[in-house]
């Protein structure tokens, strides 16, 4: 069984050339749930330490369950990222929705930052790339059937279709399921099992930022790696922060 992995806090978050500037990772929640922001920020802090600040896209939908909601979140994510970059203490940006809304736009802004390039990572991209590492086959377990097409397109855009074994969905309304942690965990566990047993996946991504606590708890229940998207994004950010300045991918 698999337990939580140990992480090292990046040096960029423990020291600053300017003692008056607090360097931090800004986690942008593209939905409008402040409870979800708090939960995802807590998960990120387990990997990156206390210098993670969560911000909420307050005018976005409460949960991103269809393509229209993803599109509606983009300007909110970009606005939040722009404010964070202007503050001067932003060491990195993390887009905390599986569809990565606004990720490309934020990367363009971060490259042009007056204070130098800032790494920008999306939890969807990070989790998919980690799952597919070394040619590994992977599936996705999630709760949002209306986003199935968008997820498949995202896999293709990352060049991972040949390793993708398919998507398995929980039953029931996504918002109602998210409000019932035990049912959410068990529904996702069934979907993970189907990815492995029926589809032959050698790793399974849990597809959703609001599914973060459930994703963490499922890692210990399966021999097959279960990729929780927020920790995957934190691992990617830590590598980018340790790399040569100017690299955002």
């Amino acid at each position: 069984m698999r337990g939580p992995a140990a992480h090292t806090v990046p040096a960029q978050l423990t020291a600053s050339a300017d003692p008056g500037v607090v360097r931090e990772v800004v986690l942008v929640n593209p939905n409008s749930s402040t409870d979800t922001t708090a939960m995802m920020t807590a998960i990120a802090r387990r990997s990156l330490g206390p210098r993670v600040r969560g911000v909420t896209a307050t005018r976005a939908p409460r949960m991103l369950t269809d393509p229209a909601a993803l599109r509606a979140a983009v300007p909110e994510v970009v606005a939040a990222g722009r404010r964070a970059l202007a503050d001067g203490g932003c060491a990195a940006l993390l887009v905390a929705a599986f569809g990565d809304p606004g990720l490309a736009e934020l990367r363009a802004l971060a490259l042009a930052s007056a204070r130098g390039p800032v790494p920008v990572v999306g939890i969807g991209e990070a989790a998919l790339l980690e799952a597919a590492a070394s040619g590994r086959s992977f599936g996705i377990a999630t709760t949002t059937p209306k986003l199935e097409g968008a997820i498949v397109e995202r896999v293709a855009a990352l060049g991972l279709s040949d390793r993708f074994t398919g998507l398995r969905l929980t039953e029931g309304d996504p918002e109602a399921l998210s409000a019932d942690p035990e049912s959410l965990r068990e529904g996702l566990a069934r979907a993970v099992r189907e990815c492995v047993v029926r589809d032959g996946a050698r790793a399974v991504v849990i597809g959703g930022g609001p599914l973060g606590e459930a994703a963490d708890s499922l890692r210990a229940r399966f021999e097959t790696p279960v990729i929780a998207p927020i920790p995957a994004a934190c691992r990617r950010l830590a590598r980018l922060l340790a790399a040569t300045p100017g690299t955002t991918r």
Side-chain angles (χ1 to χ4, degrees):
M1 307 299 277
R2 299 177 183 272
H7 302 290
T8 301
V9 177
Q12 289 86 340
L13 300 180
T14 60
S16 172
D18 182 348
V21 175
V22 177
R23 302 287 284 169
E24 61 186 4
V25 170
V26 177
L27 179 152
V28 182
N29 175 16
N31 73 48
S32 61
S33 170
T34 55
D35 288 344
T36 299
T37 302
M39 177 268 291
M40 295 193 296
T41 301
I43 292 173
R45 286 174 176 166
R46 293 172 201 162
S47 296
L48 298 174
R51 291 185 178 175
V52 180
R53 175 167 62 91
V55 298
T56 306
T58 54
R59 291 185 292 181
R62 184 167 177 79
M63 190 171 179
L64 309 185
T65 60
D66 57 41
L70 276 179
R71 292 191 295 271
V74 170
E76 291 292 303
V77 170
V78 173
R82 191 188 301 275
R83 288 191 295 270
L85 292 168
D87 285 346
C90 180
L93 286 163
L94 194 159
V95 179
F98 195 65
D100 296 332
L103 180 62
E105 293 86 347
L106 279 190
R107 281 191 171 142
L109 284 174
L111 276 173
S113 171
R115 294 176 175 85
V118 171
V120 184
V121 168
I123 65 169
E125 178 183 80
L128 293 171
L129 291 174
E130 183 172 303
S134 302
R136 182 168 57 182
S137 63
F138 69 94
I140 299 171
T142 190
T143 63
T144 50
K146 293 180 181 178
L147 285 175
E148 182 171 1
I151 292 171
V152 171
E153 289 175 6
R154 186 73 173 130
V155 170
L158 292 170
L160 304 177
S161 295
D162 60 331
R163 289 167 247 180
F164 182 43
T165 62
L167 183 144
R168 292 287 179 170
L169 292 158
T170 55
E171 297 179 359
D173 176 72
E175 294 195 44
L177 196 59
S178 292
D180 183 345
E182 183 175 357
S183 294
L184 177 62
R185 283 192 300 271
E186 294 310 310
L188 284 170
R190 285 191 292 272
V192 169
R193 198 169 294 111
E194 289 175 345
C195 285
V196 174
V197 175
R198 296 190 178 186
D199 304 331
R202 293 173 53 219
V204 181
V205 174
I206 302 299
L211 311 181
E213 289 289 6
D216 263 5
S217 70
L218 289 174
R219 293 176 63 249
R221 292 176 58 172
F222 292 91
E223 289 297 328
T224 300
V226 174
I227 311 299
I230 298 168
C234 291
R235 288 188 285 271
R236 186 165 176 80
L237 268 183
R239 292 192 296 270
L240 291 173
L241 286 168
T244 304
T247 301
T248 62
R249 282 187 63 87

